[in-house]
Amino acid sequence: MYRVASPSEYLVITGVGIKDIKLAKKAWVVPGQSCSVFDVSPVNYTFEVQAMSAEKLPFVLPAVFTIGPRLDDEPSLLKYAKLISPHDKLSNHVKELVQGIIEGETRVLAASMTMEEIFKGTKDFKQEVFEKVQLELNQFGLLIYNANVKQLVDVPGHEYFSYLGQKTQMEAANQAKVDVSEAKMKGEIGAKLREGQTLQNAAKIDAETKIISTQRQGDGKKEEIRVKTEIKVYENQREAEVAEVNSVLAKKKAVWTKEAQVAEVEAAKAVALREAELQMEVERMNALTRTEKLKAEFLSKASVEYETKVQEANWELYKKQKAAEAVLYEKEKEAAAQKASAEAAFYARQQLADGELYAKKKEAEGIVALAQAQGVYLRTLLDALGGNYAALRDYMMVSGGTFQEIAKINAEAVRGLQPKITVWTNGGGGAEALDGGGSGGSTAMKEISGVYKMLPPLFSTVHEQTGMLPPSWMGTLTHSAHDQSTMN
């Protein structure tokens, strides 16, 4: 027959002509084939996952997951058709499968995070749960279309979040109080700061006023000196003009005198005229000289002072620059030397550590090689002895001189102690002496005879080793018994 699936369904066809399974929206179903329909619309699963944080604090995580088949990937859709489609999407089987994956991954992730990290990073926590659950659902061909993690809830008896909310409220209230106090403090400090700045600005203006006043006084003195200089120059010029007028007058007088006494005094007046001309020139030159001298004195003094101050300031600046450059150069050289020293020390330590590491490696390789050689040697001996461990042990002790060493150690232990060693036996003819030499004595009598023969040398040995004598009711030791026991 011809089968057609609805928009939210797929056909799963198996049987003749199909190697595994075939997915289709519409297809012919021929005899020998089986066809079933499964729905691919997503389903909401609501859970309340009980988890525990890294501090062993339990909490409840309400979550709603919208899960359905992955439609954009054919291999995932085939997995879903094989593994999940035979069951109802709302059945306990599918719900327990999805719930087990979500709860397991959520618990594992929550156990690696603190409660504060879970509470503050809810978005990151949700994303990590989403990724880990999706990774597990891929093997069933399922896709998480949406995941909503609700507010974390306290487990009864463990009210962490309620206490945390109270803590946050108290911290906010305390912070508000602190902010109010800081605002008051800033207002008072600002007022004091403004008063201080006002006083500072007033003092600054007073100082600047004094400086400007001093400058104005200096400018006034300079102007006074300049005016005096110009007055002096003018006076000199006026004196020169007066002298010139006087000379003209003298000339006229001379002319008039000359006209009156031309013949008599012509030569004398000519000399006087020449002298007057020369004197006028001298006076004029003296006036110019004094003027230039005054100009040079005041102007040169100011220029010299200015140049001197400039040169002194430049020299001080130059000395400070050179001193700073010298200090900087010394610091740079010192830093470079320290850096080179540190690098050299680090390189030496690194080389020493590399050498020690190489020596340790070679020593370890030698130990391993020796152990391997000894293992081959012991395995060869054991094979030659037919697997007899006792024979191998005896051989190793004999070849290694173990027995000789033991004997040597024992001999060294008793050397210098001078022990008294008594060796005695009960003999072999005591029974005959007790029964008169007859050969028919009973076995019991032989045993009694042996015991009695054993007592004297036993008492004698105890006396020699410890100095103790037997009690009087047991008899006394004779010299003959003592000698006999020593000989035996």
Side-chain angles (χ1 to χ4, degrees), residues 62-287:
V64 178
F65 284 79
T66 303
I67 300 174
R70 185 185 292 272
L71 301 179
D72 56 351
D73 186 25
E74 185 176 355
S76 298
L77 195 58
L78 290 173
K79 290 180 182 179
Y80 178 80
K82 291 180 182 179
L83 303 175
I84 306 298
S85 64
H87 305 279
D88 186 5
K89 292 185 294 184
L90 298 176
S91 64
N92 290 332
H93 176 77
V94 179
K95 186 175 181 180
E96 290 176 357
L97 173 66
V98 176
Q99 184 177 1
I101 294 174
I102 294 174
E103 290 183 351
E105 295 299 330
T106 303
R107 289 194 182 100
V108 171
L109 182 60
S112 63
M113 299 175 65
T114 63
M115 187 67 77
E116 191 70 17
E117 293 174 348
I118 296 172
F119 185 73
K120 289 185 177 180
T122 306
K123 184 177 180 181
D124 297 335
F125 180 71
K126 169 187 171 182
Q127 184 64 28
E128 291 193 27
V129 171
F130 181 88
E131 293 175 356
K132 292 184 179 297
V133 171
Q134 181 60 61
L135 186 63
E136 294 296 328
L137 292 178
N138 286 336
Q139 58 186 337
F140 298 102
L142 294 172
L143 174 66
I144 299 176
Y145 286 89
N146 186 28
N148 292 323
V149 177
K150 299 181 181 179
Q151 184 66 34
L152 302 177
V153 181
D154 285 321
V155 176
H158 300 81
E159 288 76 13
Y160 174 79
F161 295 111
S162 60
Y163 292 150
L164 186 62
Q166 295 176 9
K167 175 187 175 184
T168 304
Q169 292 177 0
M170 293 302 295
E171 288 178 351
N174 293 332
Q175 185 63 37
K177 293 179 181 178
V178 172
D179 293 339
V180 171
S181 300
E182 287 183 354
K184 291 181 179 179
M185 179 186 67
K186 289 181 179 179
E188 294 176 358
I189 292 174
K192 295 295 183 181
L193 182 62
R194 291 295 181 271
E195 292 178 1
Q197 288 178 350
T198 302
L199 296 176
Q200 291 176 3
N201 291 332
K204 181 179 179 182
I205 292 172
D206 292 339
E208 291 178 352
T209 303
K210 290 181 180 179
I211 292 172
I212 293 173
S213 177
T214 304
Q215 291 177 350
R216 292 290 183 272
Q217 292 177 1
D219 294 339
K221 290 182 179 180
K222 291 180 180 178
E223 186 66 22
E224 182 181 358
I225 294 171
R226 185 181 65 81
V227 171
K228 288 181 179 180
T229 304
E230 292 179 353
I231 291 172
K232 190 67 176 177
V233 171
Y234 179 76
E235 289 178 353
N236 292 333
Q237 290 178 353
R238 295 303 297 171
E239 289 177 358
E241 291 177 355
V242 171
E244 184 178 0
V245 172
N246 291 330
S247 65
V248 172
L249 180 59
K251 286 182 181 179
K252 289 182 178 181
K253 286 182 178 181
V255 171
W256 293 336
T257 303
K258 181 180 179 181
E259 289 178 352
Q261 299 176 357
V262 175
E264 295 179 353
V265 292
E266 183 176 0
K269 292 297 180 180
V271 173
L273 180 62
R274 184 60 182 169
E275 289 178 355
E277 290 177 352
L278 292 176
Q279 185 65 32
M280 182 186 65
E281 185 68 20
V282 169
E283 292 294 334
R284 188 176 67 84
M285 294 301 296
N286 288 334

Side-chain angles (χ1 to χ4, degrees), residues 460 476-486:
S460 177
T476 59
L477 292 176
T478 61
H479 290 287
S480 60
H482 174 70
D483 296 338
Q484 183 179 359
S485 65
T486 304

Side-chain angles (χ1 to χ4, degrees), residues 5 21 34 50 115 131 159 165 177 272 371 373 399 410 422 424 468:
I21 63 174
S34 174
Q50 292 189 358
M115 187 67 77
E131 293 175 356
E159 288 76 13
K177 293 179 181 178
S399 61
N410 291 333
T422 303
W424 50 271
M468 295 175 62

Side-chain angles (χ1 to χ4, degrees), residues 187-452:
E188 294 176 358
I189 292 174
K192 295 295 183 181
L193 182 62
R194 291 295 181 271
E195 292 178 1
Q197 288 178 350
T198 302
L199 296 176
Q200 291 176 3
N201 291 332
K204 181 179 179 182
I205 292 172
D206 292 339
E208 291 178 352
T209 303
K210 290 181 180 179
I211 292 172
I212 293 173
S213 177
T214 304
Q215 291 177 350
R216 292 290 183 272
Q217 292 177 1
D219 294 339
K221 290 182 179 180
K222 291 180 180 178
E223 186 66 22
E224 182 181 358
I225 294 171
R226 185 181 65 81
V227 171
K228 288 181 179 180
T229 304
E230 292 179 353
I231 291 172
K232 190 67 176 177
V233 171
Y234 179 76
E235 289 178 353
N236 292 333
Q237 290 178 353
R238 295 303 297 171
E239 289 177 358
E241 291 177 355
V242 171
E244 184 178 0
V245 172
N246 291 330
S247 65
V248 172
L249 180 59
K251 286 182 181 179
K252 289 182 178 181
K253 286 182 178 181
V255 171
W256 293 336
T257 303
K258 181 180 179 181
E259 289 178 352
Q261 299 176 357
V262 175
E264 295 179 353
V265 292
E266 183 176 0
K269 292 297 180 180
V271 173
L273 180 62
R274 184 60 182 169
E275 289 178 355
E277 290 177 352
L278 292 176
Q279 185 65 32
M280 182 186 65
E281 185 68 20
V282 169
E283 292 294 334
R284 188 176 67 84
M285 294 301 296
N286 288 334
L288 293 176
T289 301
R290 284 195 298 271
T291 302
E292 294 298 328
K293 182 178 179 181
L294 291 174
K295 287 183 179 180
E297 182 179 357
F298 289 102
L299 293 177
S300 62
K301 184 177 180 181
S303 299
V304 168
E305 289 180 356
Y306 173 75
E307 293 294 332
T308 303
K309 296 295 183 182
V310 171
Q311 293 296 329
E312 289 178 356
N314 292 335
W315 174 245
E316 292 295 332
L317 177 61
Y318 178 77
K319 288 196 296 182
K320 291 180 179 179
Q321 289 179 348
K322 289 301 181 182
E325 291 177 357
V327 173
L328 178 60
Y329 180 76
E330 292 295 331
K331 294 295 183 181
E332 290 178 350
K333 289 298 183 182
E334 183 179 355
Q338 292 179 356
K339 181 179 179 182
S341 177
E343 291 177 352
F346 175 74
Y347 179 76
R349 293 181 179 177
Q350 186 177 9
Q351 293 296 323
L352 180 60
D354 292 341
E356 292 179 355
L357 178 60
Y358 181 76
K360 294 294 184 181
K361 287 183 177 179
K362 289 301 180 182
E363 183 179 356
E365 291 176 357
I367 293 173
V368 171
L370 179 61
Q372 292 176 352
Q374 290 179 351
V376 173
Y377 172 67
L378 293 175
R379 193 179 301 110
T380 304
L381 288 177
L382 190 61
D383 294 339
L385 295 172
N388 190 345
Y389 172 75
L392 175 62
R393 181 192 60 197
D394 295 340
Y395 173 76
M396 293 297 294
M397 293 180 69
V398 171
S399 61
T402 304
F403 293 111
Q404 292 87 338
E405 190 68 23
I406 291 173
K408 182 178 179 181
I409 292 172
N410 291 333
E412 290 293 336
V414 299
R415 178 181 296 177
L417 297 178
Q418 297 180 358
K420 295 181 179 181
I421 301 173
T422 303
V423 181
W424 50 271
T425 61
N426 54 8
E432 289 79 359
L434 288 172
D435 58 9
S439 61
S442 64
T443 304
M445 294 303 294
K446 290 181 178 180
E447 294 297 332
I448 293 173
S449 174
V451 170
Y452 274 93

